[in-house]
Amino acid sequence: MSSGRSSVAVANTSLTVDRLDRLTDRVRSTTDETIAVEAPATADRIGSVPDCSDADVDAAVAAAREAHADWAATPVDQRAAVIDRFSELVVDHRAELLDLLQLETGKSRQTAAEGLFSVPSACEQAVDRGPEAVADEPRGGGIPLLTTATVTYEPVGVVGVISPWNYPVTLSMADVIPALVAGNAVVLKPDEKTPYATLFLAELLERAGLPDDVLRVVTGEGGAVGPALIDRVDYVAFTGGTETGRAVAERAGRNLIDCSLELGGKNPLIVLDDADVEEAARGATTACFANAGQLCLSAERILVDESVFDDFLEAFVERTRQLTLGTAYDYDAEIGSLIDAAQLDRVRSRVEAAREAGATVHTGGRHRPDVGPYCYDPTILTGVDPDSQIACEETFGPVVTVQPVESTDAAVAAANDSPYGLNASVWTGDRSRGQRVARQVDCGTVCVNDGFAVGWGATDAPMGGFGDSGIGRRQGDEGIKRYLEARTVATSRVGPLVPSDQLPMGWVVEGASTAWQAGRRIKRAVRSLRR
């Protein structure tokens, strides 16, 4: 598959063209059709992967389904041990993984490293919590002392994971790892723009002891491979845009399978009147421009109390101008490239439309071909029409709007004036106040005095969206439980709970009422003691 491609981009890394080909060979496909993969930092073609057919997807799911039985029967501690060994391999092979990430995404190495090290964190959460999440759980029976109830948990079967291009390592493994520790087989479809790092992770899982076919990878165009996958699996985990997410949910619903969807956002960042504006400005540069803004959790709207608006804006513009752009394989640059020409056009056209409508560009607003073909300066806008596309829809680039608000209530109202609800942040000198305000913001995660890292890093807590930002949760016990089917086993200690010839119905009714009243009094007493 190396014919007709450039190795210029690969030459700057620890990788080789042959190494990419060996990764591609992990995709088992009968088709001759391929999809080219480009290095955003140079616009060079670095390889190609199979454009899998329906038959390829069918074969992958069938193989995963066959492998699932033995994997599900493997004790959870042994499954967790595989994940634990995998996390060590990820750290051991960090240099090659970072090179792969930069090669196929154009990220800065700083951003690549931040994403890479979230994988061991996800593994640690799965290893720590997996055994407890799948363990039998005693529940209260219908009639105390006479009946019992136990909930057992079984893996759903074969999970389809459809992962995005912006964080191919982080977001694929955030869904794959808990599915595996729960005892499922997985068929993973990475974005066609960024397949290589995902394929390398599949190789590392195999080295860690994951049995053959428990994880299969299929590549191809999302519009074709995605529906084929949804029609064959038992659960779908999707990360991507809201409109595509609607289509995924609709198809999953027709197949009567469950799904979790992490979708788009128009995330607000609120600066209260008592915030340290210098600290808020420092945090906002990361919150808005990490990964060149191509992050579902990044802030695209900043709402600043009017009493500190001018000071915050000045500090924020100054700090943003100090950000460094670059795509070299070192840690010097903070901001890397956009993913491709289409994403560059999306960002550039929205900024130009805002400018033409009267918005002020305080810094940025420029394509930077001197840095890379798809690089764009971090951009700050004020005076944006609140009903414009750039104010209401996700841009997914290094662009943020800043607007003054007259009060905390006004900031919360503006933050909630959106169909999205993925992530938000609140900046204040009073953490307790920040937590109170956070409870009023309609988002699945709200961070106080941080943009998103404290929320994403809280792997023991669930993460997901309200409204158009998705359904379901990853991370925490919820992130494992979504991949399990609950079964209730209820048992009677006294035989069938029906009236007998020796026990008239009237006696049953009176006896049950007396028992219920006694039980109610006991529960009330217990509640009082707990208070």
Side-chain angles (χ1 to χ4, degrees):
M1 291 189 178
S2 60
S3 175
R5 68 180 169 195
S6 170
S7 60
V8 173
V10 178
N12 295 321
T13 73
S14 62
L15 308 165
T16 65
V17 169
D18 287 344
R19 180 68 176 114
L20 298 183
D21 285 343
R22 289 198 302 275
L23 289 173
T24 302
D25 289 342
R26 299 189 64 82
V27 182
R28 297 175 223 177
S29 174
T30 59
T31 181
D32 293 328
E33 299 297 320
T34 62
I35 299 173
V37 182
E38 180 185 85
T42 61
D44 287 324
R45 179 175 176 269
I46 56 174
S48 60
V49 293
D51 189 6
C52 289
S53 65
D54 273 19
D56 295 330
V57 176
D58 193 52
V61 174
R65 196 170 298 284
E66 185 173 349
H68 166 254
D70 287 343
W71 181 244
T74 301
V76 63
D77 289 344
Q78 293 181 30
R79 299 197 299 258
V82 171
I83 302 306
D84 198 33
R85 290 192 294 271
F86 167 68
S87 68
E88 292 181 1
L89 289 171
V90 169
V91 176
D92 290 345
H93 291 83
R94 60 191 178 277
E96 189 172 1
L97 272 166
L98 288 171
D99 284 357
L100 276 170
L101 273 172
Q102 285 195 269
L103 180 65
E104 64 183 3
T105 67
K107 297 175 184 284
S108 70
R109 202 167 187 82
Q110 289 188 26
T111 303
E114 291 164 1
L116 175 64
F117 282 98
S118 68
V119 176
S121 295
C123 292
E124 186 174 359
Q125 164 68 16
V127 170
D128 287 347
R129 300 298 299 166
E132 185 173 336
V134 306
D136 292 355
E137 185 179 350
R139 298 287 184 93
I143 302 177
L145 302 179
L146 301 184
T147 66
T148 66
T150 301
V151 179
T152 69
Y153 294 98
E154 306 292 337
V156 297
V158 178
V159 172
V161 173
I162 303 174
S163 63
W165 51 259
N166 61 325
Y167 279 84
V169 164
T170 304
L171 297 177
S172 62
M173 292 300 106
D175 289 331
V176 168
I177 293 304
L180 292 176
V181 84
N184 299 280
V186 176
V187 179
L188 169 61
K189 188 256 178 243
D191 192 279
E192 59 271 18
K193 298 182 184 71
T194 55
Y196 291 118
T198 307
L199 287 166
F200 186 70
L201 291 172
E203 181 180 290
L204 293 183
L205 276 163
E206 184 179 288
R207 292 191 210 174
L210 190 70
D212 290 347
D213 295 329
V214 173
L215 173 64
R216 290 287 295 266
V217 180
V218 292
T219 53
E221 296 287 350
V225 176
L229 187 60
I230 297 166
D231 287 345
R232 291 165 172 82
V233 297
D234 305 304
Y235 186 100
V236 179
F238 171 81
T239 306
T242 296
E243 290 311 307
T244 304
R246 292 184 195 280
V248 170
E250 181 180 356
R251 198 171 194 105
R254 287 203 302 269
N255 290 321
L256 291 179
I257 63 172
D258 206 352
C259 63
S260 54
L261 313 171
E262 185 181 295
L263 308 178
K266 193 67 178 173
N267 303 314
L269 185 154
I270 299 172
V271 182
L272 299 182
D273 55 2
D274 64 347
D276 180 328
V277 293
E278 291 291 341
E279 183 177 88
R282 179 170 61 88
T285 57
T286 299
C288 300
F289 304 126
N291 201 39
Q294 299 167 119
L295 170 62
C296 56
L297 301 176
S298 64
E300 293 198 5
R301 300 180 291 148
I302 300 182
L303 309 165
V304 188
D305 190 280
E306 58 188 12
S307 66
V308 295
F309 179 81
D310 290 339
D311 290 342
F312 170 81
L313 183 61
E314 181 180 0
F316 183 39
V317 169
E318 178 61 28
R319 283 198 171 269
T320 300
R321 286 174 177 164
Q322 294 171 12
L323 292 173
T324 54
L325 274 68
T327 57
Y329 290 80
D330 56 38
Y331 292 98
D332 292 342
E334 296 161 285
I335 310 296
S337 174
L338 295 170
I339 188 69
D340 58 18
Q343 196 68 13
L344 172 63
D345 289 344
R346 176 189 178 100
V347 170
R348 188 161 48 184
S349 64
R350 291 193 178 184
V351 171
E352 289 309 308
R355 197 194 313 253
E356 291 171 6
T360 299
V361 179
H362 291 267
T363 187
R366 294 184 302 158
H367 175 208
R368 292 292 304 278
D370 56 309
V371 179
Y374 311 132
C375 288
Y376 197 88
D377 268 337
T379 301
I380 299 172
L381 303 173
T382 61
V384 171
D385 180 349
D387 296 321
S388 66
Q389 188 178 41
I390 202 166
C392 300
E393 297 180 14
E394 186 177 43
T395 300
F396 219 60
V399 180
V400 64
T401 63
V402 187
Q403 69 180 79
V405 289
E406 61 184 12
S407 66
T408 299
D409 288 344
V412 171
N416 291 339
D417 186 19
S418 171
Y420 299 105
L422 187 58
N423 183 67
S425 67
V426 178
W427 295 79
T428 173
D430 181 343
R431 289 190 297 273
S432 296
R433 181 190 183 197
Q435 291 167 353
R436 291 194 300 272
V437 172
R439 291 172 180 268
Q440 302 174 52
V441 180
D442 296 334
C443 288
T445 303
V446 185
C447 303
V448 177
N449 291 341
D450 184 79
F452 55 79
V454 294
W456 177 257
T459 56
D460 195 36
M463 173 166 284
F466 290 7
D468 285 1
S469 289
I471 56 177
R473 295 293 184 267
R474 60 161 54 111
Q475 302 194 158
D477 286 357
E478 293 86 346
I480 302 173
K481 292 283 192 184
R482 60 181 164 153
Y483 296 128
L484 296 167
E485 292 280 15
R487 175 194 294 113
T488 297
V489 178
T491 304
S492 170
R493 291 190 169 112
V494 295
L497 298 180
V498 295
S500 68
D501 295 339
Q502 291 77 31
L503 197 61
M505 187 64 181
W507 291 13
V508 172
V509 170
E510 291 304 314
S513 298
T514 300
W516 180 83
Q517 289 170 335
R520 190 170 183 228
R521 285 193 291 271
I522 292 170
K523 288 180 179 178
R524 282 179 171 175
V526 170
R527 290 191 197 108
S528 296
L529 290 173
R530 287 175 178 170
R531 296 192 191 104

